[in-house]
Amino acid sequence: MKRTINEILFGRNAKFSGLIALAIVGLIALGCSCGKDFNLSNLTNSSGGSNAGNTEISTNTPSEKGSDDAPSEANVEALVKDTTARFAEAVDSGDFSDIYDDASSDFQNTYTVDEMTTAFKSYTDKKSVVVPILKKVGPTAAEFTSPPSIRTEKGLNILVAKGKFPTKPYNVRFDYEYVMRSGDWKLLKLVINIP
């Protein structure tokens, strides 16, 4: 079993390696960065025209401001675990609409459900290996790279949570950002890696 997982994950099977290479080339051609980085942390104002990768947020738009202090590490860990559980459900079902619908409007204005589905295809294709690892996150304590923090950008409070869950046989690494919307932290950035 371990040998089969290693062959799948580390490309010892020529056909599977070819499919992975084709998927990576396809994602690059579609403008995705490795298919796992939905990063809206560099919000910019654009004047005129539409840029597919940018979300326009006016600095004079009213926004809900939360506290300048980050929530407790325990609360952030619960939020990260919830996001990871939703991601696991999406990978298992192949339907990313629930996690997408619960994300921030900033995220939704930049990406579509179809783009998410395509970007995370490498996970759904290997869901028999990926989902059990993701489900181990629930009872595992998060190890944050640095304490969760708040940064302010264009008048928005953005919660930054980066770290890993030391699950077996592979760690689940996360780099999530959330923006305060209507009193709740909503997903803004989703980067998740399983080596």
Side-chain angles (χ1 to χ4, degrees), residues 83-164:
T83 299
T84 306
R86 287 173 182 260
F87 181 76
E89 290 170 12
V91 169
D92 195 27
S93 69
D95 180 5
F96 288 83
S97 58
D98 285 343
I99 193 169
Y100 178 85
D101 291 342
D102 199 45
S104 68
S105 58
D106 311 281
F107 187 95
Q108 293 171 353
N109 289 335
T110 303
Y111 303 103
T112 66
V113 174
D114 290 339
E115 288 173 323
M116 281 189 78
T117 302
T118 300
F120 291 110
K121 187 170 180 356
S122 63
Y123 283 119
T124 56
D125 287 347
K126 296 183 281 184
K127 72 180 179 181
S128 64
V129 175
V130 171
V131 172
I133 294 169
L134 291 172
K135 288 187 176 184
K136 291 179 181 178
V137 164
T140 307
E143 295 177 2
F144 291 99
T145 306
S146 58
S149 61
I150 299 287
R151 67 180 174 81
T152 303
E153 188 169 323
K154 303 203 184 297
L156 298 173
N157 285 335
I158 298 170
L159 173 61
V160 179
K162 185 174 184 176
K164 71 176 182 178

Side-chain angles (χ1 to χ4, degrees), residues 71-81 142 144 148:
S72 71
E73 200 167 281
N75 286 341
V76 175
E77 182 173 338
L79 184 62
V80 166
K81 284 183 175 186
F144 291 99

Side-chain angles (χ1 to χ4, degrees), residues 1 14 20 25 32 56 99 144 152 164 173-174 179:
M1 176 74 174
I20 290 174
V25 170
C32 298
E56 294 185 26
I99 193 169
F144 291 99
T152 303
K164 71 176 182 178
R173 292 178 289 138
F174 61 90
V179 63

